[in-house]
């Protein structure tokens, strides 16, 4: 668990950097045998400068793209994803379709999390996949970042949503 916490702290640093830029505070680190091989932070969740708001530049997607663009010799099955929020359905399915089999996350996404997808009930492509999920690693630290984001009146992203309400109702440290 110490290794998970060490690597999650690096993902939290990515999330803090996103928050400082006014972005939704999600950070992600891809690791292989304890070494960081790629990282990313949420981008374009707001019009913080360029106005190109989108739902594709999630931290996991950016970290995965960076890893794949590097033309790695590392097998994706040997990579562990560390994300400050449970990957959404888009990120989760993209990660597993690209061979990632271990996902560690800090804070649950009660509105759009994808890790509870019933893999065994899906079509044959997915059915045989064995995915390891490790939830709630440094949850309170991640929760504090999301609460800070949702309490800021200048951040309209997901304001009033189930996720915002749930997050603001949670007890933080």
């Amino acid at each position: 668990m110490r290794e998970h916490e060490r690597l999650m702290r690096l993902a939290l640093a990515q999330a803090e950097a996103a928050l400082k830029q006014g972005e939704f505070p999600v950070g992600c680190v891809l690791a292989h045998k304890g070494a960081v091989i790629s990282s990313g932070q949420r981008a374009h969740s707001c019009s913080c400068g360029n106005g190109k708001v989108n739902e594709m530049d999630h931290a996991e997607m950016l970290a995965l793209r960076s890893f794949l663009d590097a033309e790695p010799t590392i097998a994706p099955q040997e990579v562990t994803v560390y994300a400050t929020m449970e990957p959404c359905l888009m990120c989760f399915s993209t990660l597993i379709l690209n061979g990632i089999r271990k996902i560690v996350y800090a804070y649950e996404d009660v509105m759009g999390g994808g890790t509870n997808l019933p893999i065994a009930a899906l079509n044959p492509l997915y059915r045989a996949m064995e995915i390891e999920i490790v939830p709630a690693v440094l949850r309170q630290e991640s929760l504090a970042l999301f609460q800070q984001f949702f309490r800021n009146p200048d951040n309209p992203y997901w304001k009033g949503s189930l996720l915002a309400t749930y997050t603001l109702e949670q007890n933080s440290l």
Side-chain angles (χ1 to χ4, degrees):
M1 190 56 93
R2 290 190 89 121
E3 186 73 356
H4 286 334
E5 290 177 0
R6 181 182 72 80
L7 290 160
M8 186 61 75
R9 288 190 195 291
L10 298 174
L12 284 164
Q14 291 288 321
E16 289 170 2
L19 182 63
K20 286 179 184 169
Q21 295 171 14
E23 297 285 355
F24 196 54
V26 180
C28 179
V29 165
L30 275 58
H32 179 255
K33 297 182 179 178
V36 174
I37 55 174
S38 181
S39 63
Q41 62 191 42
R42 181 66 165 98
H44 305 116
S45 63
C46 67
S47 55
C48 311
N50 66 9
K52 295 181 181 179
V53 177
N54 72 64
E55 281 300 331
M56 294 178 291
D57 292 336
H58 289 201
E60 301 92 335
M61 301 292 272
L62 297 175
L64 180 63
R65 182 171 291 144
S66 176
F67 168 65
L68 296 173
D69 285 349
E71 299 182 35
T73 57
I74 299 167
Q77 297 82 358
E78 297 175 6
V79 173
T80 301
V81 172
Y82 292 86
T84 59
M85 176 171 266
E86 176 186 2
C88 70
L89 186 56
M90 172 184 71
C91 292
F92 181 68
S93 56
T94 300
L95 291 167
I96 66 172
L97 282 172
N98 279 281
I100 304 294
R101 295 295 180 261
K102 186 169 186 177
I103 299 170
V104 179
Y105 69 85
Y107 185 60
E108 64 276 9
D109 182 351
V110 297
M111 187 170 76
T115 64
N116 63 352
L117 190 65
I119 301 277
L122 297 178
N123 291 327
L125 173 65
Y126 307 98
R127 218 176 280 148
M129 292 181 182
E130 292 184 23
I131 315 297
E132 182 180 351
I133 308 293
V134 181
V137 174
L138 299 181
R139 181 187 183 274
Q140 290 296 330
E141 290 85 339
S142 187
L143 169 62
L145 293 176
F146 289 107
Q147 287 178 330
Q148 184 179 346
F149 178 85
F150 285 126
R151 285 185 181 127
N152 182 342
D154 295 331
N155 294 327
Y157 188 71
W158 291 120
K159 283 284 191 221
S161 68
L162 171 63
L163 179 60
T165 302
Y166 175 83
T167 298
L168 293 172
E169 290 173 349
Q170 296 298 300
N171 292 326
S172 59
L173 294 176

